């Protein structure tokens, strides 16, 4: 049986920490902590990207979690269609590593257009023995 929870966040710096707490509470209540730190770090990165680059003025972002016995799917919905791409930051750069971290920690990630506007950036995390399909 698939479990689903979602929450809307205002586009402000404090919302990133609130999204981490929301994610932790959901995973804890579902008893799915084996990949909890990976999911928490990825929600931080994706929520930060949504806040800084994905939300139009006056808009926020939505975090959605779907989970079953095999996989946890994290989605961050925002209001802009511009798709993010991993960058290749220099050693001295202080930003630009978020999607590299998501790539390293998640078992898969991608971007989908959202109707009527915006996009969904998603990442999947396999449970032990699970698949990302």
């Amino acid at each position: 049986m698939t479990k689903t929870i979602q929450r809307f966040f205002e586009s402000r710096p404090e919302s990133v920490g609130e999204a981490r707490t929301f994610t932790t509470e959901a995973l804890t209540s579902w008893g799915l902590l084996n990949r909890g730190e990976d999911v928490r770090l990825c929600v931080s990165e994706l929520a930060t990207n949504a806040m800084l680059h994905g939300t139009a003025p006056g808009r926020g972002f939505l975090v959605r979690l779907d989970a079953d016995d095999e996989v946890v799917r994290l989605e961050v919905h925002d209001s802009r269609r511009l798709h993010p791409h991993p960058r290749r930051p220099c050693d001295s750069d202080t930003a630009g590593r978020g999607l590299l971290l998501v790539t390293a920690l998640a078992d898969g990630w991608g971007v989908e257009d959202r109707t009527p506007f915006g996009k969904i950036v998603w990442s999947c995390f396999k449970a032990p023995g699970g698949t990302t399909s």
Side-chain angles (χ1 to χ4, degrees):
M1 183 165 123
T2 301
K3 302 166 200 78
T4 300
I5 191 168
Q6 63 185 27
R7 181 172 161 199
F8 180 81
F9 296 91
E10 294 179 18
S11 184
R12 55 190 180 87
E14 299 83 6
S15 293
V16 174
E18 293 168 3
R20 271 194 314 272
T21 300
F22 166 75
T23 299
T24 300
E25 289 172 354
L27 294 175
T28 300
S29 72
W30 295 339
L32 298 172
L33 293 176
N34 55 355
R35 298 288 306 273
E37 288 304 313
D38 293 344
V39 180
R40 277 174 46 90
L41 184 53
C42 288
V43 79
S44 291
E45 296 301 334
L46 298 180
T48 298
N49 283 353
M51 183 191 65
L52 294 175
H53 310 293
T55 55
R59 305 257 182 200
F61 60 93
L62 179 97
V63 173
R64 177 184 169 126
L65 293 162
D66 295 299
D68 60 27
D69 293 335
E70 295 184 355
V71 68
V72 173
R73 179 179 166 107
L74 163 67
E75 297 179 354
V76 177
H77 300 227
D78 64 39
S79 57
R80 292 202 168 131
R81 287 269 169 129
L82 181 64
H83 287 212
H85 300 281
R87 293 198 271 169
R88 299 196 187 286
C90 298
D91 290 343
S92 60
D93 289 344
T94 59
R97 292 175 180 79
L99 289 177
L100 295 175
L101 289 170
V102 172
T103 300
L105 295 172
D107 294 304
W109 76 274
V111 184
E112 301 170 6
D113 287 336
R114 184 171 174 259
T115 303
F117 56 86
K119 68 181 168 301
I120 301 166
V121 183
W122 60 267
S123 54
C124 288
F125 306 84
K126 290 188 244 180
T131 64
T132 58
S133 54

